[in-house]
Amino acid sequence: MTEISFYVGVDIDNVVNDYCIKLLDYYNKKYNDNLRYDKIRTYDFQSYCKPEAQNIFDEFVTGGGLKTLETTKECKTALYELNQKYDLRFVTSSYPLIVKEKSDMLSKWFDWFNPKQLIVCQEKWKLDFDIMIDDRLDFLSGCEHGIIFKQPWNVPSEDDEYSSMLRTNCWNDIVKECDWYYKDKLNYID
């Protein structure tokens, strides 16, 4: 069977880590609110916050919030497997000031991580991945094949243009989808 280059991009925040969960906990404690994770139905977290929390993202980051982020054992196992098989890249739309912290976070969780695997890009849809795994739908627009990492803010609507994409937060399903798509590409070439 022919070997081909196969590029897998994976978003970091809310896919590899629990960013929104930790941000929400920080916000609720600091601003005495009871906003629930499952009630956040759009990607615009800020619109759910009290007006006085207009700098919530900066407060969270400068207050050490990124150091509280965690990943799961399932994510570690799946990404190790994908990294062994394919050309895996971590993609973030973060601003340059926090890229070093993101790189350090990935190094802490994944002993195989190489900083060259980290791509910072505000327009992810322009990257040429075979598969992109993301929780933000507009970053999947134009991808060859997208996997939607299921979150409350990307629940499908009736006219969902992303209905053909796998929508899951199960890492085993993600590995299976990547393997299936790779084999499909091989069959197309052979």
Side-chain angles (χ1 to χ4, degrees), residues 1-4 6 179-190:
M1 194 177 272
T2 307
E3 287 282 324
I4 61 171
F6 193 76
D179 291 345
W180 170 84
Y181 195 67
Y182 176 75
K183 287 177 187 164
D184 188 55
K185 281 191 85 154
L186 281 177
N187 289 334
Y188 183 74
I189 290 171
D190 287 342

mmCIF file of all heavy atoms in Angstrom, residues 1-4 6 179-190:
data_model
loop_
_atom_site.group_PDB
_atom_site.id
_atom_site.type_symbol
_atom_site.label_atom_id
_atom_site.label_comp_id
_atom_site.label_asym_id
_atom_site.label_seq_id
_atom_site.Cartn_x
_atom_site.Cartn_y
_atom_site.Cartn_z
ATOM 1 N N MET A 1 0.844 -1.185 0.000
ATOM 2 C CA MET A 1 0.000 0.000 0.000
ATOM 3 C C MET A 1 0.883 1.240 0.000
ATOM 4 O O MET A 1 1.912 1.281 0.644
ATOM 5 C CB MET A 1 -0.929 -0.031 1.218
ATOM 6 C CG MET A 1 -2.058 0.955 1.133
ATOM 7 S SD MET A 1 -3.182 0.844 2.531
ATOM 8 C CE MET A 1 -4.315 -0.383 1.936
ATOM 9 N N THR A 2 0.478 2.251 -0.679
ATOM 10 C CA THR A 2 1.213 3.499 -0.805
ATOM 11 C C THR A 2 1.176 4.283 0.502
ATOM 12 O O THR A 2 0.149 4.330 1.171
ATOM 13 C CB THR A 2 0.567 4.368 -1.905
ATOM 14 O OG1 THR A 2 0.456 3.602 -3.083
ATOM 15 C CG2 THR A 2 1.376 5.608 -2.160
ATOM 16 N N GLU A 3 2.289 4.894 0.872
ATOM 17 C CA GLU A 3 2.328 5.810 2.017
ATOM 18 C C GLU A 3 2.065 7.220 1.490
ATOM 19 O O GLU A 3 2.576 7.597 0.436
ATOM 20 C CB GLU A 3 3.701 5.780 2.686
ATOM 21 C CG GLU A 3 3.960 4.525 3.478
ATOM 22 C CD GLU A 3 3.276 4.533 4.831
ATOM 23 O OE1 GLU A 3 3.182 5.586 5.471
ATOM 24 O OE2 GLU A 3 2.813 3.449 5.235
ATOM 25 N N ILE A 4 1.285 7.992 2.212
ATOM 26 C CA ILE A 4 1.030 9.370 1.824
ATOM 27 C C ILE A 4 1.204 10.276 3.036
ATOM 28 O O ILE A 4 1.108 9.838 4.179
ATOM 29 C CB ILE A 4 -0.398 9.561 1.246
ATOM 30 C CG1 ILE A 4 -1.468 9.191 2.284
ATOM 31 C CG2 ILE A 4 -0.571 8.783 -0.041
ATOM 32 C CD1 ILE A 4 -2.884 9.549 1.875
ATOM 33 N N PHE A 6 -0.123 12.789 5.604
ATOM 34 C CA PHE A 6 -1.461 12.978 6.139
ATOM 35 C C PHE A 6 -1.348 13.908 7.336
ATOM 36 O O PHE A 6 -0.708 13.578 8.336
ATOM 37 C CB PHE A 6 -2.057 11.626 6.547
ATOM 38 C CG PHE A 6 -3.527 11.665 6.820
ATOM 39 C CD1 PHE A 6 -4.441 11.714 5.773
ATOM 40 C CD2 PHE A 6 -4.008 11.643 8.115
ATOM 41 C CE1 PHE A 6 -5.809 11.736 6.020
ATOM 42 C CE2 PHE A 6 -5.372 11.662 8.368
ATOM 43 C CZ PHE A 6 -6.269 11.704 7.320
ATOM 44 N N ASP A 179 -8.311 7.437 11.105
ATOM 45 C CA ASP A 179 -7.862 6.208 10.427
ATOM 46 C C ASP A 179 -8.718 5.905 9.211
ATOM 47 O O ASP A 179 -8.203 5.546 8.155
ATOM 48 C CB ASP A 179 -7.891 5.020 11.396
ATOM 49 C CG ASP A 179 -6.836 5.109 12.490
ATOM 50 O OD1 ASP A 179 -5.891 5.930 12.366
ATOM 51 O OD2 ASP A 179 -6.962 4.361 13.474
ATOM 52 N N TRP A 180 -10.033 6.051 9.346
ATOM 53 C CA TRP A 180 -10.942 5.794 8.224
ATOM 54 C C TRP A 180 -10.651 6.749 7.074
ATOM 55 O O TRP A 180 -10.567 6.340 5.921
ATOM 56 C CB TRP A 180 -12.397 5.947 8.677
ATOM 57 C CG TRP A 180 -13.334 5.938 7.522
ATOM 58 C CD1 TRP A 180 -13.844 4.849 6.892
ATOM 59 C CD2 TRP A 180 -13.828 7.090 6.828
ATOM 60 N NE1 TRP A 180 -14.644 5.254 5.839
ATOM 61 C CE2 TRP A 180 -14.646 6.622 5.779
ATOM 62 C CE3 TRP A 180 -13.666 8.465 6.984
ATOM 63 C CZ2 TRP A 180 -15.286 7.473 4.894
ATOM 64 C CZ3 TRP A 180 -14.306 9.313 6.107
ATOM 65 C CH2 TRP A 180 -15.110 8.814 5.079
ATOM 66 N N TYR A 181 -10.475 8.024 7.398
ATOM 67 C CA TYR A 181 -10.263 9.011 6.342
ATOM 68 C C TYR A 181 -8.910 8.793 5.656
ATOM 69 O O TYR A 181 -8.787 8.941 4.443
ATOM 70 C CB TYR A 181 -10.378 10.426 6.913
ATOM 71 C CG TYR A 181 -10.533 11.467 5.840
ATOM 72 C CD1 TYR A 181 -11.680 11.511 5.050
ATOM 73 C CD2 TYR A 181 -9.531 12.383 5.591
ATOM 74 C CE1 TYR A 181 -11.827 12.456 4.049
ATOM 75 C CE2 TYR A 181 -9.667 13.334 4.591
ATOM 76 C CZ TYR A 181 -10.815 13.356 3.822
ATOM 77 O OH TYR A 181 -10.954 14.288 2.825
ATOM 78 N N TYR A 182 -7.908 8.418 6.419
ATOM 79 C CA TYR A 182 -6.599 8.117 5.841
ATOM 80 C C TYR A 182 -6.711 6.941 4.866
ATOM 81 O O TYR A 182 -6.214 7.004 3.740
ATOM 82 C CB TYR A 182 -5.596 7.807 6.951
ATOM 83 C CG TYR A 182 -4.236 7.390 6.439
ATOM 84 C CD1 TYR A 182 -3.356 8.339 5.910
ATOM 85 C CD2 TYR A 182 -3.825 6.060 6.494
ATOM 86 C CE1 TYR A 182 -2.112 7.963 5.442
ATOM 87 C CE2 TYR A 182 -2.577 5.686 6.018
ATOM 88 C CZ TYR A 182 -1.723 6.638 5.491
ATOM 89 O OH TYR A 182 -0.486 6.267 5.023
ATOM 90 N N LYS A 183 -7.374 5.886 5.295
ATOM 91 C CA LYS A 183 -7.550 4.703 4.411
ATOM 92 C C LYS A 183 -8.344 5.070 3.170
ATOM 93 O O LYS A 183 -8.052 4.593 2.073
ATOM 94 C CB LYS A 183 -8.228 3.575 5.190
ATOM 95 C CG LYS A 183 -7.316 2.926 6.193
ATOM 96 C CD LYS A 183 -8.024 1.869 7.010
ATOM 97 C CE LYS A 183 -7.087 1.387 8.096
ATOM 98 N NZ LYS A 183 -7.776 0.668 9.140
ATOM 99 N N ASP A 184 -9.342 5.919 3.334
ATOM 100 C CA ASP A 184 -10.142 6.355 2.185
ATOM 101 C C ASP A 184 -9.269 7.121 1.188
ATOM 102 O O ASP A 184 -9.385 6.912 -0.022
ATOM 103 C CB ASP A 184 -11.304 7.224 2.670
ATOM 104 C CG ASP A 184 -12.290 7.542 1.564
ATOM 105 O OD1 ASP A 184 -12.801 6.581 0.937
ATOM 106 O OD2 ASP A 184 -12.530 8.735 1.327
ATOM 107 N N LYS A 185 -8.387 7.974 1.695
ATOM 108 C CA LYS A 185 -7.480 8.698 0.807
ATOM 109 C C LYS A 185 -6.519 7.739 0.092
ATOM 110 O O LYS A 185 -6.208 7.915 -1.087
ATOM 111 C CB LYS A 185 -6.670 9.744 1.590
ATOM 112 C CG LYS A 185 -7.449 10.998 1.872
ATOM 113 C CD LYS A 185 -6.560 12.090 2.383
ATOM 114 C CE LYS A 185 -5.962 12.791 1.205
ATOM 115 N NZ LYS A 185 -5.569 14.166 1.415
ATOM 116 N N LEU A 186 -6.041 6.739 0.821
ATOM 117 C CA LEU A 186 -5.159 5.740 0.201
ATOM 118 C C LEU A 186 -5.863 4.994 -0.924
ATOM 119 O O LEU A 186 -5.279 4.778 -1.983
ATOM 120 C CB LEU A 186 -4.681 4.726 1.250
ATOM 121 C CG LEU A 186 -3.555 5.156 2.175
ATOM 122 C CD1 LEU A 186 -3.277 4.059 3.188
ATOM 123 C CD2 LEU A 186 -2.286 5.484 1.404
ATOM 124 N N ASN A 187 -7.094 4.603 -0.674
ATOM 125 C CA ASN A 187 -7.867 3.885 -1.696
ATOM 126 C C ASN A 187 -8.101 4.751 -2.914
ATOM 127 O O ASN A 187 -8.126 4.254 -4.045
ATOM 128 C CB ASN A 187 -9.194 3.398 -1.133
ATOM 129 C CG ASN A 187 -9.010 2.270 -0.144
ATOM 130 O OD1 ASN A 187 -8.020 1.537 -0.207
ATOM 131 N ND2 ASN A 187 -9.932 2.141 0.783
ATOM 132 N N TYR A 188 -8.277 6.028 -2.691
ATOM 133 C CA TYR A 188 -8.506 6.957 -3.800
ATOM 134 C C TYR A 188 -7.246 7.080 -4.664
ATOM 135 O O TYR A 188 -7.328 7.175 -5.872
ATOM 136 C CB TYR A 188 -8.924 8.321 -3.244
ATOM 137 C CG TYR A 188 -9.244 9.320 -4.315
ATOM 138 C CD1 TYR A 188 -10.431 9.229 -5.045
ATOM 139 C CD2 TYR A 188 -8.352 10.344 -4.619
ATOM 140 C CE1 TYR A 188 -10.731 10.145 -6.037
ATOM 141 C CE2 TYR A 188 -8.651 11.263 -5.617
ATOM 142 C CZ TYR A 188 -9.830 11.157 -6.320
ATOM 143 O OH TYR A 188 -10.112 12.064 -7.294
ATOM 144 N N ILE A 189 -6.078 7.058 -4.018
ATOM 145 C CA ILE A 189 -4.805 7.195 -4.727
ATOM 146 C C ILE A 189 -4.436 5.902 -5.452
ATOM 147 O O ILE A 189 -3.971 5.925 -6.581
ATOM 148 C CB ILE A 189 -3.682 7.612 -3.748
ATOM 149 C CG1 ILE A 189 -3.918 9.040 -3.305
ATOM 150 C CG2 ILE A 189 -2.323 7.481 -4.395
ATOM 151 C CD1 ILE A 189 -3.020 9.501 -2.189
ATOM 152 N N ASP A 190 -4.627 4.758 -4.786
ATOM 153 C CA ASP A 190 -4.238 3.461 -5.378
ATOM 154 C C ASP A 190 -5.074 3.045 -6.539
ATOM 155 O O ASP A 190 -6.016 3.332 -6.967
ATOM 156 C CB ASP A 190 -4.255 2.362 -4.306
ATOM 157 C CG ASP A 190 -3.078 2.497 -3.359
ATOM 158 O OD1 ASP A 190 -2.105 3.176 -3.706
ATOM 159 O OD2 ASP A 190 -3.166 1.921 -2.264
#
